[in-house]
Amino acid sequence: MLIEQPPRIYRWLFPGAFWRMPAAKGEDKCVYLTFDDGPIPEMTPWILEILDKYNVKATFFCVGDNVRRHAELYDMLIERGHNVGNHTFNHVQGIRNLSRNYVRNIELASHYIDSKLFRPPHGHMRFPQFLRLRKLFKIIMWDVVTRDYSPHMTAKDVFDNVRRCTRDGSIIVFHDSLKAIGRIEEALPKSIEWLKQQGYQFKVIE
């Protein structure tokens, strides 16, 4: 559960970041599907077809260099009504970079990604980096990470993570990346169907 659903103490490390969206009184319960690391031609178009099939909108946290190389896929995300966020230009981790280099990498990504949403790769960044970035972005973490990227997981494991950890307001992380191939093809449709059966509405992060 430490990975799939970060404990409260970890969430306290970044005050003001969004790990879970607040529930609105009197409204239906909601979830927020998100996808990290794309867009790439091997995965993103298939995910868009699945989302269209179920009439679901999501938020895609894009790597700037992928957008540079696959601009048509980025445009497709926007055209189909999904939202986008900044996920750095090269998928770099803040804890492994000087703050000025890290922020510069994110600013470079902003030349290709028109968004005030930011998610740090792996959720890792130094606290001074966080303090600076929260002045520029709405920082989106997660409530449920499916671990669809892990070779140690099966599609059933990924789906079970969604069933076990999701609650009202959950921000759920899947990946439109090569690492997710072999698990997401089964887990994503099953997860969407199960969430709909449980009465969840799907929203994008604004």
Side-chain angles (χ1 to χ4, degrees):
M1 293 289 286
L2 181 62
I3 298 176
E4 290 88 348
Q5 197 166 46
R8 186 173 298 175
I9 191 169
Y10 189 65
R11 300 167 190 244
W12 286 344
L13 293 176
F14 300 115
F18 289 83
W19 297 86
R20 177 185 175 201
M21 303 304 285
K25 260 190 174 181
E27 290 190 7
D28 294 330
K29 55 185 183 179
C30 298
V31 291
Y32 299 77
L33 282 189
T34 67
F35 295 87
D36 285 4
D37 302 351
I40 59 170
E42 298 88 345
M43 190 88 274
T44 307
W46 177 84
I47 288 174
L48 290 175
E49 292 301 320
I50 292 297
L51 296 178
D52 281 352
K53 175 182 177 181
Y54 291 101
N55 193 27
V56 167
K57 302 302 180 188
T59 306
F60 288 77
F61 287 89
C62 300
V63 172
D65 196 38
N66 285 341
V67 175
R68 179 186 66 82
R69 291 184 289 122
H70 308 296
E72 73 286 355
L73 295 180
Y74 176 81
D75 292 340
M76 193 183 299
L77 296 176
I78 306 300
E79 290 164 2
R80 297 202 186 185
H82 304 287
N83 208 356
V84 294
N86 188 320
H87 200 46
T88 76
F89 187 76
N90 301 111
H91 201 259
V92 295
Q93 295 187 45
I95 59 173
R96 295 183 178 179
N97 288 268
L98 294 174
S99 291
R100 64 176 178 271
N101 294 337
Y102 187 60
V103 172
R104 192 176 298 138
N105 191 277
I106 295 162
E107 289 173 342
L108 178 58
S110 289
H111 292 312
Y112 300 91
I113 303 163
D114 183 17
S115 177
K116 289 299 182 183
L117 303 179
F118 173 71
R119 172 177 284 162
H122 305 285
H124 297 160
M125 57 183 163
R126 303 175 192 273
F127 191 68
Q129 294 167 349
F130 166 72
L131 291 178
R132 181 168 178 182
L133 290 169
R134 74 175 183 179
K135 296 176 182 178
L136 305 173
F137 296 95
K138 184 175 183 178
I139 298 178
I140 308 299
M141 297 297 217
W142 61 83
D143 189 47
V144 181
V145 59
T146 63
R147 297 186 68 202
D148 56 346
Y149 56 82
S150 173
H152 305 295
M153 304 288 284
T154 66
K156 182 181 182 301
D157 294 332
V158 173
F159 175 49
D160 286 345
N161 283 339
V162 174
R163 290 195 299 176
R164 185 175 71 252
C165 300
T166 299
R167 52 188 172 166
D168 190 14
S170 283
I171 300 170
I172 304 173
V173 182
F174 283 94
H175 292 79
D176 55 333
S177 70
L178 295 176
K179 290 183 178 180
I181 292 175
R183 289 166 291 277
I184 194 172
E185 294 92 338
E186 177 183 337
L188 179 60
K190 287 180 69 173
S191 296
I192 292 174
E193 290 172 3
W194 182 82
L195 290 165
K196 283 179 172 283
Q197 290 166 4
Q198 302 306 306
Y200 286 102
Q201 303 295 313
F202 294 84
K203 289 188 175 182
V204 299
I205 300 172
E206 302 292 348

